[in-house]
Amino acid sequence: MVKVSVIGATGYTGQELVRMLARHPAVEIAGLGTQSYAQKKYSEVYPHFRGVVDLVCSEPGDPALIEKADVVFLALPHGLSGTLVAQIHAQGKKVVDLGADFRLKNRAVYKEWYKTEAPGEALLAQAVYGLPEVKREMIKKATIIANPGCYPTTVILALYPLLKEKLLDPRTIIIDSKSGVSGAGRGLNVASLYSEVNEDLKVYGLPRHRHTPEIEQELSAIAGSAIMVNFTPHLVPLTRGMMSTIYCVPETPDADKIAEVYRSYYAHEPFVRLYPPWEFPHTKWVHGTNYCDLGFSLDERTGRLVIISVIDNLTKGASGQAIQNMNLLCGLDETMGLPKLALFP
Amino acid sequence: MVKVSVIGATGYTGQELVRMLARHPAVEIAGLGTQSYAQKKYSEVYPHFRGVVDLVCSEPGDPALIEKADVVFLALPHGLSGTLVAQIHAQGKKVVDLGADFRLKNRAVYKEWYKTEAPGEALLAQAVYGLPEVKREMIKKATIIANPGCYPTTVILALYPLLKEKLLDPRTIIIDSKSGVSGAGRGLNVASLYSEVNEDLKVYGLPRHRHTPEIEQELSAIAGSAIMVNFTPHLVPLTRGMMSTIYCVPETPDADKIAEVYRSYYAHEPFVRLYPPWEFPHTKWVHGTNYCDLGFSLDERTGRLVIISVIDNLTKGASGQAIQNMNLLCGLDETMGLPKLALFP
Amino acid sequence: MVKVSVIGATGYTGQELVRMLARHPAVEIAGLGTQSYAQKKYSEVYPHFRGVVDLVCSEPGDPALIEKADVVFLALPHGLSGTLVAQIHAQGKKVVDLGADFRLKNRAVYKEWYKTEAPGEALLAQAVYGLPEVKREMIKKATIIANPGCYPTTVILALYPLLKEKLLDPRTIIIDSKSGVSGAGRGLNVASLYSEVNEDLKVYGLPRHRHTPEIEQELSAIAGSAIMVNFTPHLVPLTRGMMSTIYCVPETPDADKIAEVYRSYYAHEPFVRLYPPWEFPHTKWVHGTNYCDLGFSLDERTGRLVIISVIDNLTKGASGQAIQNMNLLCGLDETMGLPKLALFP
Amino acid sequence: MVKVSVIGATGYTGQELVRMLARHPAVEIAGLGTQSYAQKKYSEVYPHFRGVVDLVCSEPGDPALIEKADVVFLALPHGLSGTLVAQIHAQGKKVVDLGADFRLKNRAVYKEWYKTEAPGEALLAQAVYGLPEVKREMIKKATIIANPGCYPTTVILALYPLLKEKLLDPRTIIIDSKSGVSGAGRGLNVASLYSEVNEDLKVYGLPRHRHTPEIEQELSAIAGSAIMVNFTPHLVPLTRGMMSTIYCVPETPDADKIAEVYRSYYAHEPFVRLYPPWEFPHTKWVHGTNYCDLGFSLDERTGRLVIISVIDNLTKGASGQAIQNMNLLCGLDETMGLPKLALFP
């Protein structure tokens, strides 16, 4: 059994982690750290865990959280992971960081977008960007995983095969994304109140949402040249679910070729599903699962390609992907403990 | 492996059955019958099953649905089960009927409330009302299970220990219930449109909803005397979830005694959870699970007892309970394949 | 023109007041006081007022708010109205208090339920409970109006004619209420977050919600004898809308008589609508309006009467009723400025 | 008083028309035609009109609907307006057609996209595309108004000043639109059921939604050259509200110049509101109003302009705009009877 701790266990991504870890056949939960609810039973914080996870929570700094674990998950706001990762690493344990601190390789870029210092150079160099479909072999050998952001997951999976095969004009990428509210977390904020979100639709973070440099870093690495994108996130009134609608211009407008390239990259991926022509995924079809579903339409009139990429922002967009990474880190079957059937309707 | 068929597989309760059966470790799906989508792959009807259940659907009358199965589930509108149950029974197979036709023991009462003929006397006599917490031993020996209605499940589980122990004045029972919209099924109806349901709250079926005689039949049997209740169902804008708020007068206003009786009946039940004093269950805490969660408050000022009973209407209120019954019918662990951790938030 | 100020203008009830006052043909808004957003333009706080109400907000204690106004509305948390009402009263101005401080006539009862001191005896004695359908003539002559709570409005309007005419057994009243989330206000609270409320249904405040003594005080005064009720509020996932389902036993089970009494009290009321037998109001049909819609069903089997009473909690349940009271205080047409057509769907 | 009839009065756009016409100070409703509910009182179909509009509905073909009216509104599915418009026109009455039949000037294009014959050439030539901000003077002199589609309204208002002033590269326009469900109407359709729409997000009509040629026709006319766009509509779980996020490349990346051009076109428009830099409209801020709210962001990194355009799809997107057109046709104040304050929250 793999022993795991979760630090930051009572936010929404923390809770989603615990939910899946509790059912994972090869995992034992060693500890749960939380700023807000230390010394409480987890099932007092989240009563749906009553009778399933009744463990008492610790302070996030409790050394036992690291000592007792083989793998530690960090589900913390940005800026807080650096010190903890250093400690975990020093004790020879593995860590999956769901926050942003280890995602950007360029410390100056991190500072520009996050307004705080990045982790130290040496530690940062150890971190692998944990998108299994792109970096599976590196992940298997890593000890520090920077778990991708939710928006970047939708975008990179949608564009990876096409950029890698040089099928796109890389200057033409526009990303229009829509997210459910759980992505904003459980923090108190007028903008997250039911009465504000219900029956509303808005854009936010325009034009400089922090996932932009992450998207650009990874797409540039794939393409082998510097890529800049337009990225516009929207908030829609649903709890879970995320869609990116991506516009770009293919080098040659050949739908069959595009479909074939997608198949060659993804036909055997356990958590990517491709849709046939004229069919497009709904977020509801991945609700509570670790899938990224992809559909595309080549507009013959304008020559533009439109790609639809959907995930559950808390699962493939955060905690499910983190467990997929843990499975790889620990030599387990990559799909273990990860839900594949959406809760519908 | 138990081989099962589902007839009426593409309604919401049918889909919920297939979702849980597909993950059930001791079940193999032998066939799926559907009026509306015969000859289509199940994953074409419900794309979230893509790669998980790609079986081609049959006509509901296809004899192979019965022949290939050990247990047949019927998820059909009322009035359609009689003939099918007779056929299944004649072939020595077991059947769990999720519709209403076999629930009422008195054929005249059935006709009065459902405006159509009940199944034949002999067949009806074989049917066991499948509420495991009340009739576990009878279910194990049965071949025809009348799976309880969603509202009756919330009510009977809430009142069973108290009525059985003669702690209540049986003339004082008032049931105020609230249901999500998925209970109305996938049929086309103006009242089920998003724009009608969203931001609305209404009462319906007043004063003669068809679950009334079912509730009264079972409560009367438990109490050993004829019970009449007030039952008022409401529609609330959520997809899944059901709550009954039950008002009644205890013989003696002793909260400790009530709590103790509940514990003595339910402490070891796998799918009933009791809440401590001053805590009350949310529907979200049973979302997608087979639990019935119960809390109560004794109002010292008025002497009335208020009981809060919540379920997921599609799971413990329909398809989860049906699988719990199947597990009992087939000698399997009663909890097998049944979700216990809510999808939250 | 009547000059009005609103103190507490940026909460949800404050905003609803400003929305209706801005369109009121006989009103001029003299000032808007707010703790959180003083010195900001109102349309910066609520951008939908851009070009309609661009007034700069004041501190809630700004004396000009009282000096410039003929009528002052207070939309504040409980415990804060006493001092302000005294000041307003001393300057000979009229006041409509949307908070709870002046509703309970018995200061000991107030202290028991609100855990703070009630306003002084003398001032309290001046306050009239502002439910126009019950106390219209007293309101016209008053200077201090205690605007009713939302739940009490639904309940008192439903029971007033029947209790007044001694048609009910007053010991049998059970109130099961359901409210949208805007009633909880704009304050920051985990329980008001979208991800917590969406797809959830819960009971709260059981068994001692603070509207209980208010309901009992007014029902007792109407009946001429002390009445105790069971009152159970529920939170449902909608922004606006409130329903009370009221159970009671009539002295004689005569539906025609009950309908006739309702008509004799309410046929000419501008903001109460009666529904014919077998029809029941939806909250959506009063969305954004000042109506209270009433329907009832007499259950011949049990002899119980079930009354359905719906309002928009922010309008008839708070700010619309406050304007109705202001119209009466100022000798204006009672319906002036008050919406009658629901925004549907 | 202007006498008006509405044919197709019981769909959602019909209902929205009746709601606003009932409060319009210069209008008298002469008749309401409806296929589905003829001979019923309007307030029986929509109970929120009880006591406000109790008129009995007629068959849609009832000649009195035209005879008694000065202006007739048609709110019908496409393909049904041609004959009625001819009759209305022949009787010298004015008509506002909310359907699509008179919007496309090129009959071959209409046939290609709508798969049915367009109205006759002569009649079509009389029709003016009723977007007041663009064609106010033509509308005043017209007798047949083709009321714009909801998506085209958001797009044309966003791009009109920039294209007219030749500030954009017309080959670069990409439109990503999001709509609430009421736009799909009250027709029965699995895809419009609450349980399907709630907690879902999907693209539809890709890549050939019928509003595409309408958008292109009007943008081309404004620009003076043929324009082709990418247009991708999405369905989001809200009842009312529509947003278009529009991407394009300005000829020179000068945000001040763009703001100035917008102001010069729209500063005095009664139903267009411009947002300052870094602020973007929410759909909730136009909920139930006739506004189109516009914000923009010039991305200095990519040189692309992102424009956010929001309306209430039933109001400015359909029935409010129709009344704005009627006001112009009849020489009334253009804003009469049209709501300006959103129902919030």
Side-chain angles (χ1 to χ4, degrees), chain A residues 176 198-200 216 230 239 247 282 284 301-302, chain D residues 176 198-200 216 230 239 247 282 284 301-302:
Chain A
D176 191 282
N198 185 34
E199 278 292 288
D200 192 27
E216 292 179 348
N230 269 82
T239 299
Y247 302 88
H282 292 212
K284 218 176 170 77
R301 299 165 66 257
T302 65
Chain D
D176 191 282
N198 184 35
E199 279 292 289
D200 192 26
E216 292 179 347
N230 270 81
T239 299
Y247 302 88
H282 292 212
K284 217 174 172 80
R301 301 165 66 257
T302 64

PDB file of all heavy atoms in Angstrom, chain A residues 176 198-200 216 230 239 247 282 284 301-302, chain D residues 176 198-200 216 230 239 247 282 284 301-302:
ATOM      1  N   ASP A 176     -10.839  30.318 -25.937  1.00  0.00           N
ATOM      2  CA  ASP A 176     -11.985  30.863 -25.220  1.00  0.00           C
ATOM      3  C   ASP A 176     -12.453  29.781 -24.253  1.00  0.00           C
ATOM      4  O   ASP A 176     -13.011  28.767 -24.674  1.00  0.00           O
ATOM      5  CB  ASP A 176     -13.089  31.238 -26.213  1.00  0.00           C
ATOM      6  CG  ASP A 176     -14.186  32.054 -25.570  1.00  0.00           C
ATOM      7  OD1 ASP A 176     -15.034  31.440 -24.877  1.00  0.00           O
ATOM      8  OD2 ASP A 176     -14.192  33.282 -25.731  1.00  0.00           O
ATOM      9  N   ASN A 198     -25.499  32.477  -9.853  1.00  0.00           N
ATOM     10  CA  ASN A 198     -26.683  31.904 -10.476  1.00  0.00           C
ATOM     11  C   ASN A 198     -27.263  32.898 -11.488  1.00  0.00           C
ATOM     12  O   ASN A 198     -27.369  34.085 -11.201  1.00  0.00           O
ATOM     13  CB  ASN A 198     -27.720  31.621  -9.375  1.00  0.00           C
ATOM     14  CG  ASN A 198     -28.955  30.918  -9.900  1.00  0.00           C
ATOM     15  OD1 ASN A 198     -28.891  30.110 -10.824  1.00  0.00           O
ATOM     16  ND2 ASN A 198     -30.114  31.234  -9.312  1.00  0.00           N
ATOM     17  N   GLU A 199     -27.626  32.400 -12.665  1.00  0.00           N
ATOM     18  CA  GLU A 199     -28.170  33.253 -13.733  1.00  0.00           C
ATOM     19  C   GLU A 199     -27.208  34.367 -14.121  1.00  0.00           C
ATOM     20  O   GLU A 199     -27.632  35.464 -14.508  1.00  0.00           O
ATOM     21  CB  GLU A 199     -29.525  33.859 -13.338  1.00  0.00           C
ATOM     22  CG  GLU A 199     -30.703  32.948 -13.527  1.00  0.00           C
ATOM     23  CD  GLU A 199     -31.018  32.659 -15.003  1.00  0.00           C
ATOM     24  OE1 GLU A 199     -31.509  33.531 -15.731  1.00  0.00           O
ATOM     25  OE2 GLU A 199     -30.774  31.507 -15.407  1.00  0.00           O
ATOM     26  N   ASP A 200     -25.902  34.120 -14.024  1.00  0.00           N
ATOM     27  CA  ASP A 200     -24.938  35.107 -14.507  1.00  0.00           C
ATOM     28  C   ASP A 200     -23.917  34.424 -15.413  1.00  0.00           C
ATOM     29  O   ASP A 200     -23.748  33.202 -15.370  1.00  0.00           O
ATOM     30  CB  ASP A 200     -24.212  35.795 -13.343  1.00  0.00           C
ATOM     31  CG  ASP A 200     -23.425  37.018 -13.822  1.00  0.00           C
ATOM     32  OD1 ASP A 200     -23.811  37.621 -14.837  1.00  0.00           O
ATOM     33  OD2 ASP A 200     -22.431  37.384 -13.167  1.00  0.00           O
ATOM     34  N   GLU A 216       1.536  28.946 -22.505  1.00  0.00           N
ATOM     35  CA  GLU A 216       2.531  29.322 -23.511  1.00  0.00           C
ATOM     36  C   GLU A 216       3.841  28.556 -23.335  1.00  0.00           C
ATOM     37  O   GLU A 216       4.471  28.142 -24.317  1.00  0.00           O
ATOM     38  CB  GLU A 216       2.767  30.827 -23.468  1.00  0.00           C
ATOM     39  CG  GLU A 216       1.540  31.594 -23.955  1.00  0.00           C
ATOM     40  CD  GLU A 216       1.683  33.101 -23.929  1.00  0.00           C
ATOM     41  OE1 GLU A 216       2.651  33.602 -23.316  1.00  0.00           O
ATOM     42  OE2 GLU A 216       0.818  33.777 -24.516  1.00  0.00           O
ATOM     43  N   ASN A 230      -4.031  34.091 -27.238  1.00  0.00           N
ATOM     44  CA  ASN A 230      -5.079  34.831 -26.529  1.00  0.00           C
ATOM     45  C   ASN A 230      -5.848  33.842 -25.688  1.00  0.00           C
ATOM     46  O   ASN A 230      -6.254  32.786 -26.197  1.00  0.00           O
ATOM     47  CB  ASN A 230      -6.055  35.479 -27.515  1.00  0.00           C
ATOM     48  CG  ASN A 230      -5.625  36.862 -27.890  1.00  0.00           C
ATOM     49  OD1 ASN A 230      -4.783  37.015 -28.762  1.00  0.00           O
ATOM     50  ND2 ASN A 230      -6.148  37.861 -27.196  1.00  0.00           N
ATOM     51  N   THR A 239     -21.238  24.004 -11.027  1.00  0.00           N
ATOM     52  CA  THR A 239     -20.267  23.735  -9.985  1.00  0.00           C
ATOM     53  C   THR A 239     -18.994  23.145 -10.565  1.00  0.00           C
ATOM     54  O   THR A 239     -17.897  23.624 -10.303  1.00  0.00           O
ATOM     55  CB  THR A 239     -20.868  22.799  -8.918  1.00  0.00           C
ATOM     56  OG1 THR A 239     -22.002  23.449  -8.333  1.00  0.00           O
ATOM     57  CG2 THR A 239     -19.869  22.503  -7.811  1.00  0.00           C
ATOM     58  N   TYR A 247      -9.506  28.162 -31.237  1.00  0.00           N
ATOM     59  CA  TYR A 247      -9.504  28.537 -32.650  1.00  0.00           C
ATOM     60  C   TYR A 247      -8.061  28.606 -33.141  1.00  0.00           C
ATOM     61  O   TYR A 247      -7.215  29.195 -32.455  1.00  0.00           O
ATOM     62  CB  TYR A 247     -10.166  29.900 -32.829  1.00  0.00           C
ATOM     63  CG  TYR A 247     -11.591  29.929 -32.320  1.00  0.00           C
ATOM     64  CD1 TYR A 247     -11.869  30.237 -30.984  1.00  0.00           C
ATOM     65  CD2 TYR A 247     -12.657  29.614 -33.161  1.00  0.00           C
ATOM     66  CE1 TYR A 247     -13.173  30.235 -30.505  1.00  0.00           C
ATOM     67  CE2 TYR A 247     -13.971  29.619 -32.694  1.00  0.00           C
ATOM     68  CZ  TYR A 247     -14.221  29.929 -31.355  1.00  0.00           C
ATOM     69  OH  TYR A 247     -15.510  29.925 -30.887  1.00  0.00           O
ATOM     70  N   HIS A 282     -19.891  17.238 -24.236  1.00  0.00           N
ATOM     71  CA  HIS A 282     -20.525  18.058 -23.201  1.00  0.00           C
ATOM     72  C   HIS A 282     -19.686  17.929 -21.926  1.00  0.00           C
ATOM     73  O   HIS A 282     -19.143  16.854 -21.671  1.00  0.00           O
ATOM     74  CB  HIS A 282     -21.918  17.528 -22.849  1.00  0.00           C
ATOM     75  CG  HIS A 282     -22.940  17.650 -23.910  1.00  0.00           C
ATOM     76  ND1 HIS A 282     -24.264  17.849 -23.624  1.00  0.00           N
ATOM     77  CD2 HIS A 282     -22.858  17.599 -25.263  1.00  0.00           C
ATOM     78  CE1 HIS A 282     -24.958  17.907 -24.752  1.00  0.00           C
ATOM     79  NE2 HIS A 282     -24.131  17.757 -25.753  1.00  0.00           N
ATOM     80  N   LYS A 284     -20.969  17.564 -19.093  1.00  0.00           N
ATOM     81  CA  LYS A 284     -21.706  16.610 -18.265  1.00  0.00           C
ATOM     82  C   LYS A 284     -21.233  15.182 -18.511  1.00  0.00           C
ATOM     83  O   LYS A 284     -21.417  14.320 -17.651  1.00  0.00           O
ATOM     84  CB  LYS A 284     -23.184  16.714 -18.628  1.00  0.00           C
ATOM     85  CG  LYS A 284     -24.128  16.594 -17.467  1.00  0.00           C
ATOM     86  CD  LYS A 284     -25.552  16.822 -17.932  1.00  0.00           C
ATOM     87  CE  LYS A 284     -26.538  16.474 -16.860  1.00  0.00           C
ATOM     88  NZ  LYS A 284     -26.651  17.472 -15.819  1.00  0.00           N
ATOM     89  N   ARG A 301     -15.280  27.143 -44.761  1.00  0.00           N
ATOM     90  CA  ARG A 301     -15.493  28.503 -45.266  1.00  0.00           C
ATOM     91  C   ARG A 301     -14.326  29.419 -44.882  1.00  0.00           C
ATOM     92  O   ARG A 301     -13.828  30.177 -45.688  1.00  0.00           O
ATOM     93  CB  ARG A 301     -16.803  29.056 -44.725  1.00  0.00           C
ATOM     94  CG  ARG A 301     -18.020  28.216 -45.162  1.00  0.00           C
ATOM     95  CD  ARG A 301     -19.264  28.551 -44.347  1.00  0.00           C
ATOM     96  NE  ARG A 301     -19.745  29.903 -44.568  1.00  0.00           N
ATOM     97  CZ  ARG A 301     -19.571  30.920 -43.740  1.00  0.00           C
ATOM     98  NH1 ARG A 301     -18.919  30.741 -42.599  1.00  0.00           N
ATOM     99  NH2 ARG A 301     -20.051  32.100 -44.000  1.00  0.00           N
ATOM    100  N   THR A 302     -13.895  29.331 -43.618  1.00  0.00           N
ATOM    101  CA  THR A 302     -12.861  30.265 -43.149  1.00  0.00           C
ATOM    102  C   THR A 302     -11.488  29.617 -43.059  1.00  0.00           C
ATOM    103  O   THR A 302     -10.499  30.303 -42.829  1.00  0.00           O
ATOM    104  CB  THR A 302     -13.206  30.784 -41.741  1.00  0.00           C
ATOM    105  OG1 THR A 302     -13.167  29.669 -40.831  1.00  0.00           O
ATOM    106  CG2 THR A 302     -14.581  31.421 -41.700  1.00  0.00           C
TER     107      THR A 302
ATOM    108  N   ASP D 176     -17.238  33.858 -30.364  1.00  0.00           N
ATOM    109  CA  ASP D 176     -17.527  32.753 -29.450  1.00  0.00           C
ATOM    110  C   ASP D 176     -18.690  33.200 -28.577  1.00  0.00           C
ATOM    111  O   ASP D 176     -18.536  34.070 -27.722  1.00  0.00           O
ATOM    112  CB  ASP D 176     -16.288  32.438 -28.620  1.00  0.00           C
ATOM    113  CG  ASP D 176     -16.432  31.135 -27.859  1.00  0.00           C
ATOM    114  OD1 ASP D 176     -17.128  31.147 -26.817  1.00  0.00           O
ATOM    115  OD2 ASP D 176     -15.900  30.124 -28.305  1.00  0.00           O
ATOM    116  N   ASN D 198     -28.927  21.501 -16.677  1.00  0.00           N
ATOM    117  CA  ASN D 198     -28.322  21.835 -15.389  1.00  0.00           C
ATOM    118  C   ASN D 198     -26.972  21.139 -15.275  1.00  0.00           C
ATOM    119  O   ASN D 198     -26.840  19.965 -15.605  1.00  0.00           O
ATOM    120  CB  ASN D 198     -29.266  21.354 -14.266  1.00  0.00           C
ATOM    121  CG  ASN D 198     -28.788  21.745 -12.888  1.00  0.00           C
ATOM    122  OD1 ASN D 198     -28.212  22.816 -12.696  1.00  0.00           O
ATOM    123  ND2 ASN D 198     -29.022  20.871 -11.921  1.00  0.00           N
ATOM    124  N   GLU D 199     -25.953  21.893 -14.810  1.00  0.00           N
ATOM    125  CA  GLU D 199     -24.602  21.345 -14.672  1.00  0.00           C
ATOM    126  C   GLU D 199     -24.051  20.816 -15.982  1.00  0.00           C
ATOM    127  O   GLU D 199     -23.254  19.876 -15.990  1.00  0.00           O
ATOM    128  CB  GLU D 199     -24.552  20.237 -13.602  1.00  0.00           C
ATOM    129  CG  GLU D 199     -24.459  20.727 -12.194  1.00  0.00           C
ATOM    130  CD  GLU D 199     -23.124  21.411 -11.864  1.00  0.00           C
ATOM    131  OE1 GLU D 199     -22.075  20.730 -11.777  1.00  0.00           O
ATOM    132  OE2 GLU D 199     -23.139  22.634 -11.676  1.00  0.00           O
ATOM    133  N   ASP D 200     -24.454  21.407 -17.108  1.00  0.00           N
ATOM    134  CA  ASP D 200     -23.855  21.030 -18.384  1.00  0.00           C
ATOM    135  C   ASP D 200     -23.412  22.282 -19.132  1.00  0.00           C
ATOM    136  O   ASP D 200     -23.870  23.390 -18.857  1.00  0.00           O
ATOM    137  CB  ASP D 200     -24.845  20.246 -19.255  1.00  0.00           C
ATOM    138  CG  ASP D 200     -24.158  19.588 -20.454  1.00  0.00           C
ATOM    139  OD1 ASP D 200     -22.949  19.310 -20.376  1.00  0.00           O
ATOM    140  OD2 ASP D 200     -24.838  19.353 -21.464  1.00  0.00           O
ATOM    141  N   GLU D 216     -23.061  37.762 -41.216  1.00  0.00           N
ATOM    142  CA  GLU D 216     -22.174  38.120 -42.335  1.00  0.00           C
ATOM    143  C   GLU D 216     -22.814  39.154 -43.259  1.00  0.00           C
ATOM    144  O   GLU D 216     -22.141  40.063 -43.758  1.00  0.00           O
ATOM    145  CB  GLU D 216     -21.769  36.862 -43.095  1.00  0.00           C
ATOM    146  CG  GLU D 216     -20.856  35.962 -42.247  1.00  0.00           C
ATOM    147  CD  GLU D 216     -20.421  34.686 -42.928  1.00  0.00           C
ATOM    148  OE1 GLU D 216     -21.008  34.338 -43.976  1.00  0.00           O
ATOM    149  OE2 GLU D 216     -19.503  34.016 -42.407  1.00  0.00           O
ATOM    150  N   ASN D 230     -16.016  33.201 -38.144  1.00  0.00           N
ATOM    151  CA  ASN D 230     -16.257  31.958 -37.394  1.00  0.00           C
ATOM    152  C   ASN D 230     -17.218  32.277 -36.280  1.00  0.00           C
ATOM    153  O   ASN D 230     -17.009  33.251 -35.544  1.00  0.00           O
ATOM    154  CB  ASN D 230     -14.960  31.431 -36.772  1.00  0.00           C
ATOM    155  CG  ASN D 230     -14.255  30.494 -37.702  1.00  0.00           C
ATOM    156  OD1 ASN D 230     -13.565  30.947 -38.602  1.00  0.00           O
ATOM    157  ND2 ASN D 230     -14.477  29.201 -37.522  1.00  0.00           N
ATOM    158  N   THR D 239     -31.290  30.694 -17.614  1.00  0.00           N
ATOM    159  CA  THR D 239     -32.517  30.850 -18.380  1.00  0.00           C
ATOM    160  C   THR D 239     -32.385  31.987 -19.381  1.00  0.00           C
ATOM    161  O   THR D 239     -32.659  31.821 -20.568  1.00  0.00           O
ATOM    162  CB  THR D 239     -33.707  31.088 -17.434  1.00  0.00           C
ATOM    163  OG1 THR D 239     -33.835  29.955 -16.579  1.00  0.00           O
ATOM    164  CG2 THR D 239     -35.003  31.258 -18.206  1.00  0.00           C
ATOM    165  N   TYR D 247     -13.219  38.088 -31.115  1.00  0.00           N
ATOM    166  CA  TYR D 247     -11.783  38.269 -31.323  1.00  0.00           C
ATOM    167  C   TYR D 247     -11.548  38.840 -32.718  1.00  0.00           C
ATOM    168  O   TYR D 247     -12.140  38.345 -33.691  1.00  0.00           O
ATOM    169  CB  TYR D 247     -11.066  36.923 -31.199  1.00  0.00           C
ATOM    170  CG  TYR D 247     -11.281  36.259 -29.857  1.00  0.00           C
ATOM    171  CD1 TYR D 247     -12.369  35.425 -29.628  1.00  0.00           C
ATOM    172  CD2 TYR D 247     -10.415  36.509 -28.799  1.00  0.00           C
ATOM    173  CE1 TYR D 247     -12.583  34.842 -28.389  1.00  0.00           C
ATOM    174  CE2 TYR D 247     -10.620  35.923 -27.558  1.00  0.00           C
ATOM    175  CZ  TYR D 247     -11.701  35.088 -27.357  1.00  0.00           C
ATOM    176  OH  TYR D 247     -11.911  34.523 -26.127  1.00  0.00           O
ATOM    177  N   HIS D 282     -21.399  41.819 -17.113  1.00  0.00           N
ATOM    178  CA  HIS D 282     -21.994  40.521 -16.774  1.00  0.00           C
ATOM    179  C   HIS D 282     -23.381  40.450 -17.430  1.00  0.00           C
ATOM    180  O   HIS D 282     -24.055  41.473 -17.531  1.00  0.00           O
ATOM    181  CB  HIS D 282     -22.241  40.416 -15.266  1.00  0.00           C
ATOM    182  CG  HIS D 282     -21.028  40.357 -14.409  1.00  0.00           C
ATOM    183  ND1 HIS D 282     -20.997  39.653 -13.224  1.00  0.00           N
ATOM    184  CD2 HIS D 282     -19.812  40.922 -14.531  1.00  0.00           C
ATOM    185  CE1 HIS D 282     -19.814  39.802 -12.664  1.00  0.00           C
ATOM    186  NE2 HIS D 282     -19.079  40.558 -13.425  1.00  0.00           N
ATOM    187  N   LYS D 284     -25.895  39.339 -15.959  1.00  0.00           N
ATOM    188  CA  LYS D 284     -26.848  39.639 -14.893  1.00  0.00           C
ATOM    189  C   LYS D 284     -27.169  41.130 -14.834  1.00  0.00           C
ATOM    190  O   LYS D 284     -28.206  41.521 -14.318  1.00  0.00           O
ATOM    191  CB  LYS D 284     -26.211  39.218 -13.575  1.00  0.00           C
ATOM    192  CG  LYS D 284     -27.174  38.625 -12.575  1.00  0.00           C
ATOM    193  CD  LYS D 284     -26.420  38.113 -11.373  1.00  0.00           C
ATOM    194  CE  LYS D 284     -27.360  37.694 -10.273  1.00  0.00           C
ATOM    195  NZ  LYS D 284     -27.941  36.386 -10.456  1.00  0.00           N
ATOM    196  N   ARG D 301       0.085  42.022 -26.064  1.00  0.00           N
ATOM    197  CA  ARG D 301       1.021  40.951 -26.392  1.00  0.00           C
ATOM    198  C   ARG D 301       0.757  40.388 -27.781  1.00  0.00           C
ATOM    199  O   ARG D 301       1.675  40.164 -28.559  1.00  0.00           O
ATOM    200  CB  ARG D 301       0.947  39.850 -25.347  1.00  0.00           C
ATOM    201  CG  ARG D 301       1.277  40.359 -23.925  1.00  0.00           C
ATOM    202  CD  ARG D 301       0.850  39.369 -22.845  1.00  0.00           C
ATOM    203  NE  ARG D 301       1.585  38.120 -22.886  1.00  0.00           N
ATOM    204  CZ  ARG D 301       1.129  36.984 -23.369  1.00  0.00           C
ATOM    205  NH1 ARG D 301      -0.105  36.898 -23.823  1.00  0.00           N
ATOM    206  NH2 ARG D 301       1.863  35.903 -23.362  1.00  0.00           N
ATOM    207  N   THR D 302      -0.528  40.139 -28.093  1.00  0.00           N
ATOM    208  CA  THR D 302      -0.848  39.486 -29.366  1.00  0.00           C
ATOM    209  C   THR D 302      -1.388  40.464 -30.405  1.00  0.00           C
ATOM    210  O   THR D 302      -1.551  40.087 -31.569  1.00  0.00           O
ATOM    211  CB  THR D 302      -1.937  38.403 -29.158  1.00  0.00           C
ATOM    212  OG1 THR D 302      -3.134  39.069 -28.729  1.00  0.00           O
ATOM    213  CG2 THR D 302      -1.523  37.405 -28.105  1.00  0.00           C
TER     214      THR D 302
END
